[in-house]
Amino acid sequence: MSKKASIHDVLTGEHYISGNEAIAEGCLAAGCRFFGGYPITPSSEIAERMSRRLPQVGGVFIQMEDEIASIATILGASWAGRKSMTATSGPGISLMMENIGLGAMTETPFVIINVQRAGPSTGLPTLVGQGDVMQARWGSHGDYELIALSPNSVQEAFDLSIEAFNLAEKYRTPVIMLTDESICHMVEKLIIPTKSKIKIENRKKPTGSKKNHLTFKPDADMIPPMAAAGEGYNVFVTGLTHDTKGYPVITPEAQEILVKRLCDKILLNEEKIRLTEEYMTKDAKVLVISYGITARSAKGAVNLARKKGIKAGLLRLITIWPFPTKLIEELAKKVDAIVVAEINNGQIVKEVREATRKSVPVVLSSKLGGTVHTPKEILAKIEEVKKK
Amino acid sequence: MTISEEKVDDTILEAKRHPMDYLLRWDRLPHVWCSGCGLGSVLSCFIHAIAESGIDTKKIVVVSGIGCTGRASGYLDLDVFHTTHGRAIPFAIGLKLANPELKVIVFSGDGDLFAIGGNHIIHAARRNADITVICSNNFIYGMTGGQLAPTTPMGAWTSTSPYGNVEPNFNLCHLVASAGAIYVARWTSLNARRLQASMVEAIKKKGFSFIEVIPPCPTTFGRRNDYEEGIKMLEFFRENTIIRHGIDPGDAELNLGNKIVVGKFVDKEDKPTLSDHIARIQLFAKRR
């Protein structure tokens, strides 16, 4: 970088910063201009950086009275037309669940950064965990879908922050960045590209008449264009089951139409949304599946296995939800066994088992939080399942 | 003779439309409120106040939580949001801060704003968030069938206080004024003209303004407390309401059988709002 990047825009250049700081910069580069949050370890550095950076780019930072207010306020900001976000962890994400449902029901784009720590309850506030994976998907009541992403480096934390906003805007959905304490407190090199190289997606705006506007009439792609408050469309938004006008309709028929579409707009686009990384999977006989910080240990384990002559490979999940069921179903046909490594008591392993339909043995390499796997621990599982 | 079922323009009805109908969503009426309920009158005052304020209706946003009053936003032909229980205020703050040009009004009930949402209202007042909050206080959870609320007067009967309420109630105006609201008024739904005038003042006020309005609720409150008809409760309001402008809202407690003290209790000079302060730091950060 010959020219110093302006603090009033994308901080193009080379940086040596933490995952949390990279996420803040990634969200700003994505066009986020509203942050509502409540301090919680290990995510607080995101709020701290946003409190300094947002006013520099003309954005709004507000520290709310609790996490429930934080998520409610970013929903409001999104409906005023701003890209908005919050960042939290364990107890905070639990408090946000009801309004994640409101976000899904009202198709409100926003991003939640969940810097996972080990739970349940207050658990290990300063130490890593990956125990919120199922909660991200099922935490709010009722049937809904959302998108969750998991980075494994500081660079990817930045890149996926942009992707998270792009997906939220494109599919009009809450997006959760399911990252973890290790990634977010780790300091690594980050390269922020020039603004022109960053692909930005913005929500579709309505083009028709403002009179009698149908707030929730989907296009052929199942996604309704989104008018902001104050634009003259008189939007009608409710968490009740509603029709295309947005009006409450308390019938099983309206429920079928609405909830089916809300789920399908994510599920039927799974392949388009899907991001994964495959490492040495071509001839692999033992497949390791992992994500986030754990995927780094898993890669080490695959390398160690290869040195020992075991044909191991790694599938790293970058998109966690919607789950890449079809991909794993295909990969399972080529391998003898699967090892799933995650810092919880076995969450994604259940999805993997369902995807493989018990065609191959699927074993769990588990840690309950507080520390990451060593490659040797995962290697031990690989050796356990390899065909003699 | 066969009668066509095809819809025709009903010009007679069209001609009879009320001049305020342009602010209502006709296709959502009739409303859900019980006969004898005062919320219809309150909503009527509200739409008149909006018209009288002269504010561009394109910029007016109404946010509600959950409950009987929470349904009010859904009858207005404006940008309207029916959010989660208790969270109308933080949702409204997000709208306002993200677009300071909007006039954001929260219209919700006592349970929504002061029980489940109690934390948000005191902080909104403390911050001087530039929003107006209209709280309809019917002393009860109406939508769920008449359970005890933090506004239920001591001794009152509800479906979850079958031996009479043993808890003291919140004095909403006192609480909000103490937390920093710059405009605080209380009216019953019978004080329609004063309520409407007060709504205009509150809406036009810069900063956090608050109006408590007491409607009759014969179905879930009155029925168990000797006011089984709306008209009986209105008669009680007529005979027992006293207007005391400017008094300390702490002296305006609402107790069963006592006089109802109404009036404009607080009307402070404008001071910088949360939006003003945020705009100031944006300017500061931009220049550096």
Side-chain angles (χ1 to χ4, degrees):
Chain A
M1 280 302 296
S2 52
K3 217 177 103 199
K4 202 168 171 282
S6 164
I7 59 163
H8 302 302
D9 209 336
V10 177
L11 274 189
T12 302
E14 286 184 13
H15 303 264
Y16 186 63
I17 58 177
S18 71
N20 272 340
E21 292 167 305
I23 285 169
E25 289 306 326
C27 292
L28 290 167
C32 172
R33 290 296 179 269
F34 192 99
F35 184 103
Y38 187 81
I40 188 165
T41 305
S43 76
S44 300
E45 295 86 358
I46 301 174
E48 286 170 351
R49 193 170 179 106
M50 288 307 250
S51 70
R52 193 169 74 248
R53 291 282 288 128
L54 269 169
Q56 292 172 345
V57 299
V60 174
F61 171 89
I62 184 160
Q63 186 172 310
M64 296 302 283
E65 52 272 20
D66 57 31
E67 283 90 348
I68 304 176
S70 302
I71 187 159
T73 210
I74 68 167
L75 264 103
S78 185
W79 275 101
R82 292 229 192 192
K83 291 187 184 177
S84 62
M85 70 175 293
T86 189
T88 190
S89 186
I93 194 82
S94 291
L95 283 173
M96 291 183 181
M97 282 302 150
E98 186 191 10
N99 282 295
I100 290 175
L102 181 67
M105 194 60 146
T106 58
E107 302 179 66
T108 309
F110 58 85
V111 171
I112 301 172
I113 311 294
N114 179 4
V115 185
Q116 291 175 95
R117 61 194 232 187
S121 191
T122 314
L124 302 173
T126 58
L127 299 176
V128 67
Q130 290 183 316
D132 307 348
V133 176
M134 282 296 169
Q135 184 203 35
R137 169 67 188 76
W138 302 103
S140 199
H141 56 280
D143 288 298
Y144 65 99
E145 295 289 333
L146 48 63
I147 297 170
L149 308 171
S150 178
N152 81 330
S153 67
V154 169
Q155 181 69 50
E156 199 172 72
F158 173 89
D159 297 342
L160 288 188
S161 297
I162 297 169
E163 182 70 10
F165 271 99
N166 286 348
L167 290 168
E169 294 284 315
K170 185 171 181 187
Y171 293 101
R172 279 193 64 177
T173 177
V175 175
I176 298 181
M177 175 98 92
L178 262 179
T179 180
D180 52 69
E181 184 275 336
S182 296
I183 295 295
C184 289
H185 282 163
M186 185 162 62
V187 174
E188 285 185 323
K189 183 172 161 182
L190 167 69
I191 297 171
I192 300 182
T194 54
K195 196 178 178 180
S196 59
K197 293 244 169 73
I198 297 171
K199 188 184 139 252
I200 299 292
E201 194 95 42
N202 292 311
R203 62 192 73 172
K204 281 187 292 184
K205 304 293 281 182
T207 49
S209 158
K210 290 188 177 178
K211 207 167 177 278
N212 301 321
H213 171 64
L214 300 174
T215 311
F216 289 96
K217 185 169 187 293
D219 290 339
D221 63 0
M222 294 180 280
I223 299 150
M226 185 171 175
E231 289 180 341
Y233 285 94
N234 288 7
V235 297
F236 191 107
V237 180
T238 176
L240 287 165
T241 297
H242 47 267
D243 60 13
T244 54
K245 278 183 187 172
Y247 288 9
V249 182
I250 311 302
T251 65
E253 293 77 19
Q255 173 80 355
E256 287 283 335
I257 293 168
L258 177 63
V259 178
K260 187 86 178 111
R261 179 175 65 76
L262 293 181
C263 292
D264 280 354
K265 74 174 181 179
I266 306 291
L267 291 176
L268 299 183
N269 284 308
E270 186 273 310
E271 280 176 63
K272 275 192 209 159
I273 297 165
R274 182 196 300 164
L275 291 169
T276 53
E277 183 197 335
E278 288 184 40
Y279 178 69
M280 295 194 162
T281 52
K282 254 190 188 153
D283 62 341
K285 289 293 154 200
V286 178
L287 179 69
V288 182
I289 299 179
S290 196
Y291 51 92
I293 187 67
T294 315
R296 289 168 80 126
S297 300
K299 198 174 213 172
V302 166
N303 287 337
L304 290 176
R306 287 274 168 178
K307 269 187 201 156
K308 288 191 160 189
I310 305 165
K311 285 183 176 169
L314 169 70
L315 171 68
R316 180 166 73 88
L317 306 178
I318 301 170
T319 310
I320 306 284
W321 306 115
F323 195 71
T325 305
K326 274 186 215 158
L327 175 70
I328 290 172
E329 199 181 334
E330 287 307 308
L331 285 171
K333 287 177 187 162
K334 299 191 282 185
V335 300
D336 298 330
I338 294 176
V339 173
V340 178
E342 51 187 342
I343 308 175
N344 56 48
N345 202 24
Q347 297 196 10
I348 279 298
V349 70
K350 294 187 175 114
E351 288 292 323
V352 173
R353 282 190 184 126
E354 177 154 332
T356 58
R357 300 170 197 222
K358 296 187 177 168
S359 59
V360 290
V362 177
V363 302
L364 170 67
S365 174
S366 158
K367 278 191 131 25
L368 293 183
T371 184
V372 297
H373 293 69
T374 62
K376 275 187 181 166
E377 285 169 327
I378 301 171
L379 175 67
K381 287 285 176 186
I382 296 172
E383 290 182 311
E384 192 185 305
V385 298
K386 74 161 185 353
K387 272 209 171 135
K388 305 282 170 346
Chain B
M1 189 186 130
T2 54
I3 297 169
S4 163
E5 284 188 8
E6 214 173 289
K7 277 193 176 167
V8 290
D9 283 337
D10 186 350
T11 48
I12 298 169
L13 194 64
E14 287 291 315
K16 279 188 180 166
R17 280 199 171 185
H18 191 273
M20 299 310 296
D21 282 349
Y22 74 99
L23 284 170
L24 292 174
R25 291 185 189 256
W26 256 71
D27 49 355
R28 289 225 58 229
L29 297 172
H31 56 65
V32 296
W33 299 317
C34 308
S35 91
C37 169
L39 279 167
S41 318
V42 178
L43 190 68
S44 173
C45 292
F46 183 66
I47 57 175
H48 278 89
I50 284 175
E52 198 184 324
S53 74
I55 294 167
D56 179 5
T57 52
K58 217 174 104 176
K59 297 294 171 199
I60 297 176
V61 187
V62 181
V63 187
S64 289
I66 298 296
C68 294
T69 317
R71 293 301 184 95
S73 61
Y75 302 118
L76 298 165
D77 202 3
L78 300 163
D79 285 317
V80 292
F81 295 90
H82 181 225
T83 63
T84 42
H85 196 19
R87 318 304 166 198
I89 286 178
F91 194 103
I93 289 176
L95 280 161
K96 179 65 188 178
L97 295 184
N99 182 1
E101 278 183 18
L102 299 176
K103 178 48 88 181
V104 184
I105 304 163
V106 172
F107 197 145
S108 214
D110 50 306
D112 188 73
L113 292 168
F114 286 89
I116 190 166
N119 197 24
H120 309 310
I121 198 158
I122 54 173
H123 286 281
R126 170 182 67 79
R127 293 182 171 112
N128 197 24
D130 194 6
I131 59 172
T132 298
V133 176
I134 295 166
C135 173
S136 161
N137 177 7
N138 57 4
F139 308 123
I140 203 132
Y141 286 93
M143 185 68 89
T144 45
Q147 294 82 12
L148 182 76
T151 46
T152 306
M154 190 90 145
W157 307 92
T158 73
S159 69
T160 50
S161 61
Y163 305 104
N165 178 20
V166 296
E167 300 175 14
N169 57 342
F170 261 145
N171 175 344
L172 307 184
C173 289
H174 183 40
L175 180 64
V176 170
S178 308
I182 60 162
Y183 184 97
V184 180
R186 176 194 290 154
W187 302 102
T188 72
S189 64
L190 195 61
N191 307 111
R193 287 176 58 233
R194 292 177 197 276
L195 171 62
Q196 185 183 319
S198 201
M199 282 174 167
V200 176
E201 284 185 348
I203 292 168
K204 288 174 111 172
K205 197 88 188 166
K206 224 167 129 283
F208 188 84
S209 54
F210 176 79
I211 295 175
E212 175 185 6
V213 52
I214 302 166
C217 171
T219 306
T220 66
F221 182 77
R223 185 159 52 99
R224 296 187 178 90
N225 293 281
D226 300 327
Y227 296 99
E228 60 283 0
E229 281 178 44
I231 194 76
K232 200 170 164 189
M233 233 172 158
L234 287 175
E235 266 165 18
F236 179 83
F237 292 167
R238 187 166 55 84
E239 284 160 17
N240 294 284
T241 300
I242 45 173
I243 299 172
R244 291 286 181 275
H245 292 305
I247 65 156
D248 180 347
D251 294 334
E253 284 188 10
L254 287 171
N255 293 316
L256 212 58
N258 281 14
K259 296 277 180 199
I260 299 174
V261 181
V262 298
K264 182 165 75 174
F265 303 141
V266 177
D267 190 357
K268 289 187 191 162
E269 300 247 313
D270 283 354
K271 60 176 183 181
T273 66
L274 179 61
S275 307
D276 293 335
H277 285 300
I278 286 175
R280 179 176 55 77
I281 63 164
Q282 282 172 338
L283 214 67
F284 175 77
K286 238 175 188 171
R287 285 205 194 111
R288 287 181 60 170

